[in-house]
Amino acid sequence: MQENDGQFVLPAYERAQLCLRAGELPQARDEAQAGLDAHGPHAGLYAVLGRAHVAEDDDDHDAAAERAYRAGLDAFPDDLDLLAAYAEFGLAADVMEQPGRFSRGRKAADRLRELAPDSPQALRIDGERPGPRLPSLAYVQRHDARVALTGGVDLRDAARQAGQAAEAWPYDRRLAVRAETLAALSSEGLVCLTLRAPYRAVLVLCALVAAWLLAVPALGLPGHQCLWALLALVPPLREQTVLRGARRRAERRMPAGYALPAPGAPDVPLPTPRERAALLLAFVIVAGACTGSFGWQYVRAADYPHYAAAVPSSFRGMPLETGNPMADFLDSSLASASLPQGADTFSGVYRDEDSGRGIAVFGATGDLHSEDPDDLYEGIREGVEEGGGSVRTTWTADPGPLGGRLECMTYEQFAASLTACAWVDKGSMGVVMTSGGSVGRETSAQAARELRRATLRPATPGVVV
């Protein structure tokens, strides 16, 4: 930058501009005035002088700013930066208290739009931003931290250098945030790992989440085990906490007053297409895993074993009795029972005439996956008590290879000791009652398991057996 007299004024302008950015307003005015006195009129020096006065927010300084701007525009009437500075200054004035200043500011804005309607200065006056949206402070913070972590410099040395830069430019928010961030990262190994390669970390975490979500139904685990996938949120939440704390500490250390950032700050690149693709892939992986896992679990939960039930003609050498009053009673009870739609019932009574021992079985097959086993067992217990029985003991037995639950009880009815074992699974339920003589727990449970297997056989869904 050179004036008509051949003297370079760039050093004077740079010194004034740097003082203004650092918030050293008196020094900025002194440097600008010294440059004007030494080298004559210069648009940039007039702009710095005016801005340094405006930043004081004082009536006397506002008047001095007015003089500086008007002197600059008298010498450089078409300078875009001067027109923009004067327009901002005038349009910020109170139209009732300072109508002349406001009017002059509006005229400067109109002249600026006339000369360069698409220039950054004109767009700024109109409240618009040229180009893409500026990155957020958090995005800039992550970028600066990643550059420091991947720059091959020891993190402690980088933190010390960032602290020195922040002290040299105390008004620069980006430098203050960078210094606080690198100081905090010195003791945060996990956060450093995710910041060093954020897109790779997101892909890895999403892959682990997807693997676990699909493993839950594959291994037959309860659905609530999917909640362990929330552990993948620990690294990003810890990173967010550390970075937010650094930004807050940086804000507290920022001095009050008007200042521009330090010069020479590197641009922050936007995410590349490859990085955007990585984020999209991570989203697709998690969304697909969630859909697959929950769909798989729903199908598994809604599915039930399909059985065809037919009581055997004999059991443990005891024949199946027909026309027995007990069998008729069981049939009528099942006919009046509240069973799921489409359920098929079965019943049978076996008796050994020599020993007087008897076994009765009754139940139903069908879609029982939505039935509460506890309600079914409680209904059996209430039926015993309503029939005049008194429950003595209850226990849970091994259900055997067909799975489900097997609950047993001993009760007294009409001065006789009886045992009842009831099984429930998603496709069948049944009760095996044993009477006559003293029957041990394992013996009655084994009889229930054997009679259950003898009565039920797998059936293909949708095929009438």
Side-chain angles (χ1 to χ4, degrees):
M1 187 177 295
Q2 185 175 5
E3 300 305 313
N4 294 332
D5 60 2
Q7 299 185 40
F8 287 90
V9 295
L10 181 58
Y13 172 69
E14 284 188 342
R15 288 195 300 270
Q17 184 78 350
L18 293 179
C19 290
L20 178 62
R21 288 180 174 178
E24 300 172 354
L25 303 179
Q27 293 87 336
R29 293 192 294 271
D30 292 342
E31 290 288 346
Q33 190 61 56
L36 290 171
D37 294 341
H39 306 293
H42 181 267
L45 290 174
Y46 279 122
V48 172
L49 183 59
R51 291 185 184 278
H53 279 297
V54 172
E56 297 287 1
D57 194 19
D58 178 84
D59 290 342
D60 293 338
H61 282 283
D62 286 347
E66 174 95 20
R67 293 191 296 270
Y69 286 140
R70 296 183 68 174
L73 287 172
D74 288 343
F76 308 96
D78 295 335
D79 185 85
L80 300 184
D81 288 331
L82 263 177
L83 285 170
Y86 191 38
E88 290 174 347
F89 171 67
L91 294 175
D94 191 313
V95 68
M96 301 300 295
E97 295 182 358
Q98 297 169 325
R101 181 178 298 172
F102 182 84
S103 177
R104 290 189 293 273
R106 187 168 56 186
K107 290 180 180 179
D110 292 340
R111 179 59 177 167
L112 177 61
R113 297 187 189 99
E114 179 184 350
L115 291 173
D118 296 328
S119 65
Q121 295 88 341
L123 293 173
R124 186 172 70 247
I125 292 299
D126 291 335
E128 300 177 17
R129 287 177 182 264
R133 184 169 60 91
L134 296 177
S136 65
L137 183 60
Y139 184 86
V140 175
Q141 180 187 22
R142 285 182 168 85
H143 168 75
D144 289 344
R146 183 164 66 251
V147 169
L149 290 170
T150 58
V153 180
D154 183 75
L155 187 57
R156 292 183 176 83
D157 294 338
R160 184 172 60 255
Q161 295 171 6
Q164 294 172 355
E167 292 177 359
W169 298 94
Y171 284 91
D172 193 307
R173 180 176 285 102
R174 181 174 177 181
L175 288 179
V177 171
R178 185 173 184 270
E180 291 290 347
T181 301
L182 296 184
L185 293 179
S186 300
S187 58
E188 293 288 343
L190 179 61
V191 178
C192 291
L193 186 62
T194 58
L195 280 175
R196 190 184 300 272
Y199 299 98
R200 186 180 303 172
V202 168
L203 275 176
V204 170
L205 290 175
C206 289
L208 292 175
V209 168
W212 176 248
L213 291 178
L214 294 176
V216 169
L219 298 176
L221 300 175
H224 66 268
Q225 295 291 332
C226 288
L227 295 177
W228 285 105
L230 295 177
L231 289 176
L233 295 177
V234 172
L237 288 178
R238 180 57 187 168
E239 174 188 306
Q240 186 178 14
T241 300
V242 172
L243 297 184
R244 185 188 294 115
R247 293 198 300 271
R248 288 175 178 173
R249 290 191 298 272
E251 290 291 339
R252 288 196 296 266
R253 67 182 282 182
M254 292 289 296
Y258 173 87
L260 295 176
D267 293 333
V268 179
L270 296 176
T272 64
R274 182 177 181 180
E275 292 170 341
R276 291 194 181 95
L279 291 179
L280 179 61
L281 178 60
F283 173 78
V284 171
I285 289 175
V286 173
C290 289
T291 303
S293 177
F294 297 145
W296 192 349
Q297 292 180 62
Y298 174 79
V299 170
R300 192 182 68 177
D303 192 21
Y304 65 94
H306 295 73
Y307 295 113
V311 293
S313 58
S314 64
F315 179 68
R316 290 186 174 181
M318 295 181 289
L320 175 65
E321 294 189 349
T322 58
N324 187 292
M326 181 63 177
D328 296 338
F329 171 75
L330 293 178
D331 290 339
S332 61
S333 298
L334 289 172
S336 61
S338 176
L339 296 172
Q341 185 176 3
D344 297 323
T345 61
F346 59 87
S347 64
V349 176
Y350 304 89
R351 180 176 296 278
D352 185 351
E353 297 294 343
D354 296 334
S355 63
R357 186 181 177 191
I359 294 180
V361 59
F362 63 93
T365 60
D367 183 2
L368 303 178
H369 82 273
S370 59
E371 300 293 327
D372 187 351
D374 291 332
D375 291 342
L376 296 175
Y377 290 127
E378 185 62 27
I380 296 171
R381 184 187 183 100
E382 291 176 355
V384 170
E385 294 176 347
E386 290 175 358
S390 176
V391 178
R392 296 170 55 190
T393 59
T394 61
W395 71 93
T396 301
D398 178 15
L402 295 182
R405 284 175 58 184
L406 181 62
E407 301 286 340
C408 299
M409 69 175 71
T410 59
Y411 62 98
E412 292 184 355
Q413 190 174 30
F414 307 125
S417 178
L418 304 172
T419 301
C421 287
W423 81 81
V424 175
D425 60 41
K426 293 182 178 182
S428 70
M429 60 163 293
V431 180
V432 177
M433 298 186 299
T434 305
S435 64
S438 176
V439 181
R441 289 189 175 188
E442 182 55 32
T443 301
S444 58
Q446 181 62 29
R449 288 190 291 266
E450 291 180 5
L451 190 50
R452 178 188 180 188
R453 293 192 64 183
T455 300
L456 304 178
R457 68 178 185 274
T460 303
V463 177
V464 178
V465 181

